[in-house]
Amino acid sequence: MGGLLGAIGLDEGQESAYRALVALGAAEVPDLAHRLTLPVPQTERALRHLERQGLAARSSARPGRWVAAPPGVALDALLTRQRNELEQAELAAALLAQEYRAEASEPAVHDLVEVVTGASAVAHRFHQLQLGAVEEVCALVTGGPQVVTGLENEADERASVVRGVAYRVVIEREVLALPTGIREAGTALARGERIRVTGQVPTKLVIADRSLALVPLTTRGAEPTALVVHASGLLESLMGLFEAVWRESLPLRLGSTGSAEESGGGPDATDLEILTLLLAGMTDASVAKHLELGLRTVQRRVKGLMELAGVTTRLQLGWHAYERGWVAR
């Protein structure tokens, strides 16, 4: 493991030698070797490396004596060189990406779909897909065995949302019933992601910027496998599938986001959570369990909402909730 100056190409021995020279101002090789508890030949090699880097020089007045170059000047010069090299590397990366895009504008058919095998390889591509997104990530999330989901990699999502990437996610009702389902959905909503709920989604799916998709394949007992689909007619079909499921799904709004609370006797945050989860198809008992409320409390609050809305059935209450904007349309 290198020291603090490892980034500019110094190993620990070289860094120690430079630090000792800076502290002493100048030193003979045997004294320096003794101070560093290193053999003389190794100390000499370290000094010659520092000399090549412009960090040390042999004294012209006394042979065998070494002096340190002033850190402010010498290290700045090395850092500037490092920055220039990084800029060159960034430029090369940009040119390669441009070349790749130009090449990909008329790709060969076999390059449109990649097959990725193995849990870590699939997870890696999922991670790449999210971090590479610039505008929008769309995902369908099932409650089945997890290979990848739109809600599982919170660090990636947080980083993407901070960069201004929009998220649209449709989750199966079953996902909300998972032990951490409601909490994860609430966290995602609080980050500004848009989430909808439906009874069942046709497949797991993640699409970045309408140009790259990941479709996990369900295989019994075999290694997890996924298809990575590049911009093509197939990708457009997958995007169409996502949009169709999105249109037919119900927006999820949890009161903890504070986005739909009304003052002056209107429904409070808990009322809105109960209402949203009931409209998503959960039973009173499931809602009570997930919100850690008593069953009677849930039923009493629903009754209160019906009185507030001036209706006599839950069906009417659902309609009224949409009309009044208590839940997102």
Side-chain angles (χ1 to χ4, degrees), residues 51-117:
E51 187 179 30
R52 285 195 297 276
Q53 296 278 52
L55 293 172
R58 298 169 212 259
S59 166
S60 52
R62 290 176 57 185
R65 193 170 172 81
W66 287 77
V67 291
V73 177
L75 291 176
D76 272 3
L78 278 177
L79 286 168
T80 302
R81 191 178 77 195
Q82 203 85 344
R83 283 193 198 101
N84 289 340
E85 284 171 4
L86 267 176
E87 278 171 21
Q88 293 298 320
E90 279 176 359
L91 185 62
L95 288 170
L96 279 169
Q98 197 178 336
E99 200 177 314
Y100 177 77
R101 278 197 299 274
E103 192 64 35
S105 61
E106 289 182 3
V109 173
H110 63 265
D111 291 335
L112 295 177
V113 178
E114 296 171 55
V115 180
V116 182
T117 306

Side-chain angles (χ1 to χ4, degrees), residues 76-325:
D76 272 3
L78 278 177
L79 286 168
T80 302
R81 191 178 77 195
Q82 203 85 344
R83 283 193 198 101
N84 289 340
E85 284 171 4
L86 267 176
E87 278 171 21
Q88 293 298 320
E90 279 176 359
L91 185 62
L95 288 170
L96 279 169
Q98 197 178 336
E99 200 177 314
Y100 177 77
R101 278 197 299 274
E103 192 64 35
S105 61
E106 289 182 3
V109 173
H110 63 265
D111 291 335
L112 295 177
V113 178
E114 296 171 55
V115 180
V116 182
T117 306
S120 64
V122 172
H124 179 66
R125 288 314 298 265
F126 175 60
H127 174 76
Q128 273 186 330
L129 194 105
Q130 284 204 88
L131 292 186
V134 176
E135 290 172 5
E136 183 183 51
V137 172
C138 299
L140 300 180
V141 181
T142 69
Q146 306 298 297
V147 178
V148 289
T149 74
L151 290 170
E152 84 173 6
N153 200 328
E154 284 198 24
D156 282 359
E157 282 183 47
R158 259 200 316 276
S160 300
V161 170
V162 166
R163 290 199 332 270
V165 178
Y167 271 76
R168 284 193 294 152
V169 181
V170 182
I171 58 178
E172 279 185 346
R173 199 165 294 130
E174 199 183 322
V175 174
L176 289 177
L178 296 172
T180 56
I182 300 259
R183 182 182 58 76
E184 285 181 357
T187 307
L189 285 169
R191 278 198 297 265
E193 296 183 25
R194 293 164 67 198
I195 300 178
R196 292 190 175 187
V197 185
T198 189
Q200 202 169 12
V201 302
T203 178
K204 280 183 188 166
L205 174 65
V206 187
I207 305 176
D209 296 335
R210 296 176 176 262
S211 62
L212 197 62
L214 185 74
V215 188
L217 301 176
T218 46
T219 50
R220 281 180 173 73
E223 270 197 293
T225 306
L227 294 182
V228 177
V229 182
H230 296 257
S232 60
L234 176 57
L235 185 77
E236 283 166 28
S237 301
L238 290 171
M239 197 66 218
L241 173 68
F242 172 81
E243 294 293 2
V245 176
W246 176 261
R247 276 195 304 275
E248 295 302 312
S249 303
L250 181 90
L252 180 69
R253 186 186 282 186
L254 299 175
S256 56
T257 63
S259 57
E261 294 176 39
E262 283 186 12
S263 53
D268 66 14
T270 307
D271 286 334
L272 291 171
E273 281 190 288
I274 290 170
L275 200 49
T276 304
L277 296 176
L278 287 174
L279 284 168
M282 289 177 79
T283 63
D284 288 7
S286 298
V287 172
K289 184 179 165 209
H290 284 291
L291 297 183
E292 294 178 351
L293 299 169
L295 178 58
R296 286 195 177 165
T297 305
V298 171
Q299 290 167 340
R300 179 173 50 75
R301 280 179 171 267
V302 173
K303 194 160 176 276
L305 284 168
M306 285 163 72
E307 284 167 10
L308 184 65
V311 299
T312 52
T313 69
R314 288 188 173 204
L315 190 63
Q316 289 171 318
L317 175 62
W319 176 254
H320 186 90
Y322 277 121
E323 287 296 293
R324 289 283 294 270

Side-chain angles (χ1 to χ4, degrees), residues 16-27 32 35 47 50 55-57 66-69:
S16 302
Y18 181 60
R19 285 178 182 277
L21 264 188
V22 167
L24 296 169
L32 198 59
R35 187 184 173 101
L47 287 166
L50 293 174
L55 293 172
W66 287 77
V67 291

